[in-house]
Amino acid sequence: MLYLLPIPFLLLLGYLESVSSIQNQLIGIAQQRVNNIDTFIENIHKTNQSLLAYPINCDELHQQFLFDSTIRELFYVKDGEIVCSSKRGIMEKYIKSRLHNGQMRTIELLVDLISAPEITTLLIEDAKLDNPDIGILTLVSSEYLLEKLPFHTDDRLNAVLLTIHDRTLPIDAKVTESRYTVVYASHHYGYTLTLTPSWRFVGQNLTLYLFSALLLSLVLSSMALLGFLWMRHRHDLVEELKRGLRRHELFLVYQPIVASDDGTLHGYESLIRWFNPKHGFISPEHFVKVAEKSGIITRLTEYVLEQAWEDWKNMPVQTSLHLSINLPPSYLEHSDNINNLKEFASKFATLGIQLVAEITERQLLEQQGQKVLSELRQAKVHIAIDDFGIGRTALSVLQNIEFDYLKIDKCFIDTIGIDSGSTPVLNSIIDLGHRLDVDMIAEGVETQAQAEYLKKLDVGYQQGYLHSRPMDIGSVVDQLNKTVE
């Protein structure tokens, strides 16, 4: 049950993500509302300063603001006395004792109305720029201000609190701080907004993120389980392969290589196969990759060489027969393996069989690999570049090495007779082979049209189901006997 361990952790992660998401959403709401309130306050200050820039006529002030829904009342103050009101007209009310140091200033405050102490609203105060004894007091409509702090119409919010200098609005707002509470301050004016989400909003987010976390947990758990089963299967397959090598469950089949011009037998490519008593036939593409990743590919290659010798050692001496062996990239990295290959080449030579090492293009990219190829050719081992055209060989590398065969991959042969952009590539590969003066072997030839096309372009040898499927050593013996007859 180890694969279930991520569930508690991911549920906790989902919970933390939900908290973060709720807070981020609340910050977005608070930011939008602070921007709106900042703009509103800024406009009030600009209006106040605009009025102070000119002599104020009380009647005009009264007419201008009497029906303004955003302004409860605007007072013109001079030498510590209210001399004009937008609502009541000319006044004489001494308020110097209520002013800061008896003078006007530019500030925002929450105040209680003298005429209605139960009402708290926003006061915006502005002094004349060149005379602090003159200024304007603007009382914002509390109803309008509360519209800037809506939470009754927003089901995401339980409460919104405006705080200025330790005074709050609305005064009856109940804010129970929790891990979800967000406090956002204005960057321009001295107030903050405190937002508390509704439990419905919290519940929706928690449900969403916990469900997502649970779903992710199930996905990861399933992936972990599949990974565990795959690793166990791979480990089991590695052990099975080791036992298979010891028990000689693996065997070789041989696919003929024939001359394009007359179909005469040129040689064989040896191919490894595995019949496991428990799993039946296992694809080489599968177990060869497992062998490479598990580090037993060298043992598998040695097995192929040994098995090939066992199959052929009692054969009559041949007349220049080609026998190719596929070598993985790592095999030629060790001198012991190279010497082993040379020994087998010598033994096969006594039977008139030319051993050919089929290598991939990747092995040509390193200078050490190129040096090894030269050493093998000096030891009478022929070299074939396998699957040419699908690797990464640079043409500059090809002109610096010597090899004997260029094997053209089946994917290019398949384009013959089809309207395909790859056919010109095939023609270029064939032309390159002629220019390099090496023999070419076309792999995967399946139709007579392909065979004729390759013959026409002077590709020397062919290999594929058109000519023969891979055969066991008994069938090879029969074929060789018929050839002699």
Side-chain angles (χ1 to χ4, degrees), residues 11 13-26 29 155-156 180 197-213:
L11 289 177
L13 182 62
Y15 171 72
L16 296 177
E17 284 291 332
S18 70
V19 173
S20 176
S21 174
I22 292 170
Q23 290 177 333
N24 288 335
Q25 291 181 68
L26 291 180
I29 297 170
D155 61 6
R156 295 173 296 178
Y180 308 108
S198 66
W199 286 112
R200 178 183 177 184
F201 180 62
V202 171
Q204 289 174 339
N205 276 270
L206 280 174
T207 301
L208 174 63
Y209 278 90
L210 290 178
F211 176 77
S212 299

Side-chain angles (χ1 to χ4, degrees), residues 51-63:
L51 292 171
L52 290 170
Y54 303 95
I56 293 179
N57 182 296
C58 197
D59 289 337
E60 291 179 0
L61 191 70
H62 177 69
Q63 292 177 7

Side-chain angles (χ1 to χ4, degrees), residues 41-89:
I41 293 175
E42 181 182 10
N43 289 337
I44 295 293
H45 281 301
K46 287 181 178 179
T47 300
N48 289 349
Q49 291 295 339
S50 178
L51 292 171
L52 290 170
Y54 303 95
I56 293 179
N57 182 296
C58 197
D59 289 337
E60 291 179 0
L61 191 70
H62 177 69
Q63 292 177 7
Q64 182 176 351
F65 293 99
L66 179 61
F67 299 107
D68 191 323
S69 62
T70 64
I71 303 299
R72 182 181 184 87
E73 193 165 4
L74 185 147
F75 301 101
Y76 177 54
V77 179
K78 186 176 182 181
D79 297 327
E81 183 179 9
I82 296 176
V83 296
C84 181
S85 164
S86 63
K87 182 181 288 188
R88 287 170 273 188

Side-chain angles (χ1 to χ4, degrees), residues 239-292:
E239 295 304 314
E240 287 285 348
L241 182 55
K242 290 179 180 178
R243 284 193 291 269
L245 290 171
R246 291 196 300 269
R247 297 171 182 174
H248 290 273
E249 295 174 0
L250 287 84
F251 59 95
L252 296 182
V253 292
Y254 302 89
Q255 186 167 33
I257 299 171
V258 301
S260 294
D261 54 359
D262 57 8
T264 56
L265 182 66
H266 176 67
Y268 297 91
E269 178 182 358
S270 57
L271 303 168
I272 187 72
R273 296 292 184 264
W274 181 18
F275 181 82
N276 181 270
K278 184 188 299 184
H279 303 290
F281 279 102
I282 300 176
S283 169
E285 292 184 357
H286 192 180
F287 70 79
V288 170
K289 289 180 180 179
V290 169
E292 289 178 339

Side-chain angles (χ1 to χ4, degrees), residues 304-367:
V304 170
L305 289 166
E306 292 166 358
Q307 187 62 46
W309 175 246
E310 287 296 318
D311 287 345
W312 289 87
K313 67 181 181 181
N314 295 321
M315 291 276 194
V317 175
Q318 306 297 316
T319 303
S320 185
L321 191 68
H322 165 126
L323 181 63
S324 65
I325 305 288
N326 289 280
L327 299 181
S330 61
Y331 189 77
L332 298 181
E333 294 176 358
H334 303 284
S335 58
D336 291 344
N337 297 339
I338 296 170
N339 292 332
N340 187 45
L341 189 63
K342 292 178 181 178
E343 291 178 7
F344 274 104
S346 298
K347 290 196 290 186
F348 277 109
T350 62
L351 301 176
I353 297 174
Q354 173 62 61
L355 191 63
V356 180
E358 292 197 12
I359 65 170
T360 62
E361 293 185 54
R362 185 175 65 176
Q363 290 162 275
L364 301 178
L365 296 179
E366 299 178 358
Q367 290 186 349

Side-chain angles (χ1 to χ4, degrees), residues 3 45 56 92 103 141 149 157 169 175 185 244 325 368 387 401 454 484:
Y3 48 87
H45 281 301
I56 293 179
E92 293 182 5
Q103 293 181 318
S141 168
L149 309 171
L157 302 177
L169 186 77
V175 176
I325 305 288
Q368 180 61 29
D387 301 329
I401 63 173
L454 294 167
V484 172

Side-chain angles (χ1 to χ4, degrees), residues 65 72 96 99 103 110 124 228 231 423:
F65 293 99
R72 182 181 184 87
K96 190 169 186 175
L99 302 178
Q103 293 181 318
L110 286 176
I124 298 177
F228 170 75
M231 289 297 293
T423 304

